[in-house]
Amino acid sequence: MTAIMSFCAICVLLVTGMAIRSFFPIFQRLFIPASVIGGFIGLAAINLLEHVVSPDWFIAFGKLPGFLINIVFAGLFLGMSSTSLKKIWHLTAPQFCFGQIIAWGQYVVGLGLVFLLLAPMFNVPDVFGNLLEIGFEGGHGTVGGLSETFTELGWQAGADLGYTVATCGLVLGIVVGMILINIAVRRGDIKNIRTFEDKTRLERIGIYPCGNRPSAGWQTVSSDSVDSLALHIALVGIAILIGYGIKEALILTDHITPASFHEMKIMQSLPLFPLCMIGGVLLQMALRKTGLDKLADHGQMQRITGAALDFLVVAAIASIRVEFVLAYWAPLCILVAFGLLWNICAVLFIGPRIFDQAWFERSIAELGQATGVTATGLMLLRTVDPDNKTVAAEAFGYKQLIHEPIMGGGFWTSLAVPLVMLGQGMMVLCISIVLLLVSLACWLWFFYTKKR
C-alpha cells in the first residue's frame, strides 16, 4: 500500500508542477522543468508533514531513483539505427574531446578543492569532491544509482548532497545558459534563436498545439500479438536483467583478483545502472544480428526513459534530507560555484577554439549537459538552433554514444566513488589530472592547431 501511495503522490506532484509552471511565466522564462517544481513542492510537503505521514512513504521516495535510473540507462541505445563508427568519429571527435575536457576538469576541480581547501576547513570526506561530476555531469539519475554505494561504504549523506548538487546544477545550467545565449545574441554569435517573446502561449507553457504534435514513436507490432509499449518495456526489463547478470558475474570474479583489490569490495559497490547500459547495447546487437531490430523503436524507448527520468527527478528532490544539506551548506556552495565557473570558462575559452562551425551552438549544448542533464543541453540547443540548421544537434547526439559509457554515469563515474571512499582519492585525482592534460593536448594538437 505504501508503494502505491508513494507512486500516486509523485504523480500528483508532477501534474502540480506542470500546472504551476503554466500559471507562472517566471518558470517558463527560466525553462524550469515541471519535475523540478514538483520535486520542491514534495520536499516542502515532506518536511512540513514529517510528524503526520508514515516514514515508510518517504523511504519509498528515496528508493525510487535508484531503480528508475536502471530504466533510463537500459533504454539509452535500444532501438537506435546502425551508424558507422567512422562517420560518428569524423563528426563528433571535437565534441567528444570538449566533453572529456569538461568532465575530467570537474574531477580535478572537485577533488582539488577538497584536498587543498574543503577538507582542512570543513573536515569533509575525500568523496565530497566526486559530487561535482556526479551531480553536474551525471545528474539526479546518476546520484540515485550511486545511493546504495554511498550507504554501503558508510556515507549516508552522500546521496542527499548529490541530489542537492544535481538540483543546483540543473537550475543554474538553465539560468546561466540563457544568460550566455542573450550575450551571444548581442555579440552576433548566433542568428537562428527563437526568443521567449517569439513563442506562442502554448509553446511557452510547454504544450504542443493540436495540429502540430510530433510522433511519440512508432508502434512496431500489432496489438493482436502484444501491445507495442508493453514489448518495449519488456525489452528494457531484459536489458536490466542482462546488466544484473553482468554484475553478478563480476562479483563472482572477486576471488581471483589481488587481495588488496578484493578487500576494497569494488565489484560489490559498483552500481547497476552502467551495466544496464551495456545490457541494452548487447541486446540491441543481438536484435540486429537476428534481424529483429525493427521490433524496437527508439522513439518509444525515449518516451519510456524520459518518463522514468521525470519521475526520478521528482522523487530525488522530494527525498532530499535537509539536515544533511544544512550541515554541509558552506562547502557545497564553494563546490558548486567553482564547478560552474570551470564550465563557463571552458565554454567561452575552449568552445570557439575547438569547433570550426557553430561553435556557440555546440558549446552551449555541452554546458547544459555538464551542468544539468542531457535534456538541458538539448533544450538550450533548441533555443539557439530551433530548426537544426547547424551540425550541432547531430554532433551532440553522436557524441553521447562515446561519452556516456565513460563519464556522467558511465564506468569511470561509477568506479571513482568506491575508489575514493576506500582511500584512493589521491590516485583518482592524479588519473583525472593526467587524462585532463591528455584531452587538452588532443585539443591543442588535433583541433586548435588545425583550425589555425
Side-chain angles (χ1 to χ4, degrees), residues 38-112:
F40 276 113
I41 295 171
L43 179 63
I46 283 176
N47 284 276
L48 289 173
L49 303 174
E50 60 180 343
H51 300 299
V52 180
V53 183
S54 168
D56 292 341
W57 260 44
F58 312 136
I59 293 172
F61 265 52
K63 289 182 177 179
L64 264 177
F67 167 70
L68 291 173
I69 189 57
N70 296 325
I71 297 175
V72 174
F73 272 75
L76 207 58
F77 299 120
L78 281 172
M80 292 191 73
S81 57
S82 178
T83 306
S84 69
L85 288 176
K86 183 178 180 181
K87 178 182 177 181
I88 292 174
W89 181 251
H90 176 74
L91 184 62
T92 63
Q95 199 86 32
F96 174 71
C97 182
F98 189 45
Q100 290 290 297
I101 289 172
I102 294 180
W104 289 113
Q106 288 181 356
Y107 274 108
V108 174
V109 170
L111 290 170

Side-chain angles (χ1 to χ4, degrees), residues 205-389:
I205 294 173
I207 299 175
Y208 289 115
C210 290
N212 190 30
R213 293 185 171 178
S215 169
W218 295 101
Q219 296 192 55
T220 58
V221 291
S222 168
S223 57
D224 293 341
S225 170
V226 62
D227 183 81
S228 185
L229 182 59
L231 174 64
H232 284 75
I233 294 174
L235 291 174
V236 170
I238 293 171
I240 294 173
L241 182 62
I242 295 172
Y244 181 78
I246 294 172
K247 179 171 182 177
E248 290 299 309
L250 290 173
I251 292 174
L252 289 175
T253 63
D254 243 5
H255 69 280
I256 62 174
T257 59
S260 58
F261 192 82
H262 176 66
E263 289 173 4
M264 293 171 67
K265 297 182 179 179
I266 295 291
M267 295 307 174
Q268 287 93 327
S269 57
L270 189 68
L272 178 60
F273 66 92
L275 302 176
C276 292
M277 177 175 62
I278 293 180
V281 172
L282 293 176
L283 180 58
Q284 179 64 22
M285 290 172 61
L287 291 173
R288 196 170 292 149
K289 286 288 185 182
T290 56
L292 297 174
D293 53 310
K294 293 180 176 59
L295 293 177
D297 175 67
H298 191 58
Q300 288 213 39
M301 287 299 175
Q302 286 181 309
R303 301 290 71 75
I304 293 170
T305 58
L309 191 58
D310 274 335
F311 277 85
L312 185 155
V313 172
V314 175
I317 296 176
S319 61
I320 292 174
R321 295 177 64 177
V322 178
E323 63 268 25
F324 289 147
V325 178
L326 294 177
Y328 288 92
W329 71 269
L332 273 176
C333 290
I334 295 172
L335 186 74
V336 169
F338 274 85
L340 185 64
L341 182 63
W342 161 253
N343 287 355
I344 294 172
C345 290
V347 167
L348 296 181
F349 180 75
I350 300 177
R353 293 168 174 82
I354 195 170
F355 300 123
D356 55 2
Q357 53 179 319
W359 79 264
F360 186 81
E361 290 87 344
R362 298 174 74 168
S363 299
I364 203 67
E366 291 299 328
L367 175 73
Q369 182 188 13
T371 314
V373 290
T374 303
T376 304
L378 291 172
M379 183 275 294
L380 292 174
L381 178 57
R382 280 197 297 267
T383 303
V384 296
D385 187 20
D387 300 318
N388 291 334
K389 292 183 178 180

